[in-house]
Amino acid sequence: MKELLKLCLLLPAVALLTSCGGDGNPNKATQGAFNTNDAAAAVYVAPGEYDEYYEFFSGGFSGQVSVVGLPSGRLFRRIPVFSVDPEKGYGFDEESKAMLNTTHGFIPWDDAHHPKLSQTNGEIDGRWLFINGNNTPRIARIDLTTFETAEIIEIPNSAGNHSSPYLTMNTEYVVAGTRFSIPIPQKDVPIETYKENFQGMLSFISVAPEDGDMDIAFQILVPGFDYDLASSGKGPSHGWTFFTTYNTEKGRTMKEATASQNDKDFIAAINWKKAEEYIAAGNFEEWDSEYTNNIVDEGSHIASSETKHKVKVLNSSNCPGMIYFLPTPKSPHGVDVNPTGEYIVGCGKLSADLTVHSFSKMMAAIEAESYETIIDGIPVLKYEEVVTGVVKSGGLGPLHTEFDGDGNAYTSFFISSEVVKWNVGTWEVIDRVPSYYSIGHLSIPGGGSMKPSRKYLISMNKITKDRYLPTGPELAHSAQLYDITGDKMRLLLDFPTDGEPHYAQGCLAELIKPNSKKFYKLDENTHPYAVMSEEDVRVERDGKNVHVYMSSIRSHFAPDNIEGVKVGDRVYWHVTNLEQDWDTPHGFAMMGARNAETLIMPGLTKTLVWEPKVEGVFPFYCTDFCSALHQEMQGYVRVSAAGSDVPLKWSLGED
Amino acid sequence: MKKNILLLLIVGICFGCSENGSTEDPTAAVEAPETELLPGQEAIVDPDSDPNILQIALGSKDHTTLVAAVKAAEQTTALANNGPLTVFAPTNAAFAALPEGTVDNLLLPENKMTLISIIQMHAAPGSYSLAQLKDGQSLFVASGHNVKVEVREDGTYVHGAKILGTVNAANGIVHVVDKVFTP
């Protein structure tokens, strides 16, 4: 926070500098395009027309993912992932609660960072979206046929899961790294023993090709640095994953100063194919490490949690050939491998310049065993033997780089608040355009894959003073859409985002749209409390538990009059939506329920628990305006005294 | 155009599946006339979802007159939207039994409001299954009229028209009737 404040203080100075025109910014003249009909036409998607791209934004501290269309910037859906969502009942209804279980218990929130779309042969395949939870280390998998979170896996022996999920080019693995080193395994030690007791861990989580099921394949124990971001190799560099590090000083307090001492930190290059060999050869330790894996059952749509107990750990110090350090200046933040797989771009966030390493030079240096030094058994390659280019940007605070597939790269500069376009190969700056303000991540649809599209670029900006109507102390973060089809970037659109996006990834809508599910088939619903028709509805008592087997269809619940519930009962409302039609969810809300509503998609069963505390007659109703008689979609439940002999009965349409 | 033909074929099949106690066979698919393209959500090709009232009517060879009237009155959206509606669907024979020239006259542009009113007279807000239609019941219909239900020995009559069959729709219920309702 302090760091951010300091950067904010710097901003006016930067603005002053740039507004003098002294930097010769060639884009000044075209900024006016923002207000022209030309720009408006470029983003106008006529009523009833579809956007060309899906773009998935992380919500950052909202813990969720938002689905936006490009070029319009229209928000289509907010997918609950790591945070509860009372709107949909996510984390509140009995079916979804287990999604948020961890070894720390039920956690209703996380900080969602980097959405990454699954790939096949280095191209986005439109099957799943992965995103990391930064706070209590987890990775979620979202099914892109349903746009729902299908699985969450906890990462053991980790903390600050920031360098994640950055999947490999066939989605063999999603990865996770400790931004915050900790005692591994955890133990009670003085914090001042950081240098002796703290370590990092890089985790490789396998993804089953048929159903996406995640499992911790192996973990790699590494020195106690801060592993910040990652990028997996492709083409020639397939088989390698690169992690940036900072705090190679191993500072534990006042890190803004202590972690900025070294002129260079490292990019850690992991040869995961070599790691697989060590695992296959049995050259690992099996640790007792608990972690939770939550998964939604396809038939019942009920999430269940499994606690797993073992992980395979490789120690980087005794696995030669598995890990190398590439010296990289000034606390590098982003690392991005270009679409050909040859260049590894590191952004030293305290620097003005970018460092470009060459994969082939790296391999030659490894072959020659040309090391500068060895740290904890890990060879440090010589900077001048791996670096192939330096981009002299003229900006300040580079963070992330994306590529357009035509040999251009685009880097975000937080402090100087701009996007700089440069040539991959000559390392020359081609163009620069301001962002409003303090850009963090940037995104080109298809970014991170071998086939990015050269049409739009999105900047995600932290500061929006003077951009929108003010809303008190907290302002919306923004996204800005740029046209990148020409030599010059051109700002087209500026729209607020949900939460704080830390990266977004998109793809052509055609990769996802044809597979989007319309409803769930009722005859495939295996929920134990489902009803297949109104003939099946009933109420059953089991001690103090009352199970209501209920159905909903336009425009009534069955049953809708229930008696015989008593104070002290625990009532399970199992509501099956009998509709078999697209876009026909029903909601269910019960007066006095201390959880939320639940939204029930057609063909599914959802369960809301209600514990009545007082006698009376209480209404329940449908919350999703389903039909012309939605207001009539309502019923009553009578609650009698704890010892009363009112018999259990239920009905629909009785005179 | 191809899309529409495909839609009709698919609906024809679905209709056959969901038919419920019908005494007729209104399931045969027909080709949509070349000129008639449907607007908005009516044009969605969705072979998976249960068919809506409009799709059921479009798929029935015995309801081509009704479909033509619904289109001329621009009432397709109401029949495809989320409802719920109970539609009393007169057969082609029912329309043919009207005095000669009645239908042609109603289809004239200057009589559009009358046509709309007559079509709306055949739609009651809500889903009324056959069992829910009780003898003596007065049903409010979309034109603003009330129509009377009679349960006779040989079946259920609404506004004097006999229910020949019933089809459940995703957005309501279609009761096929043998007479056109007139005020």
Side-chain angles (χ1 to χ4, degrees), chain A residues 624-647:
Chain A
D624 189 322
F625 205 108
C626 58
S627 63
L629 297 174
H630 160 77
Q631 297 299 83
E632 285 75 6
M633 194 164 171
Q634 182 254 310
Y636 289 108
V637 54
R638 174 181 169 191
V639 178
S640 304
S644 93
D645 55 3
V646 174

Side-chain angles (χ1 to χ4, degrees), chain A residues 233-244:
Chain A
K234 52 203 79 158
S237 53
H238 180 53
W240 293 76
T241 297
F242 304 91
F243 291 83
T244 48

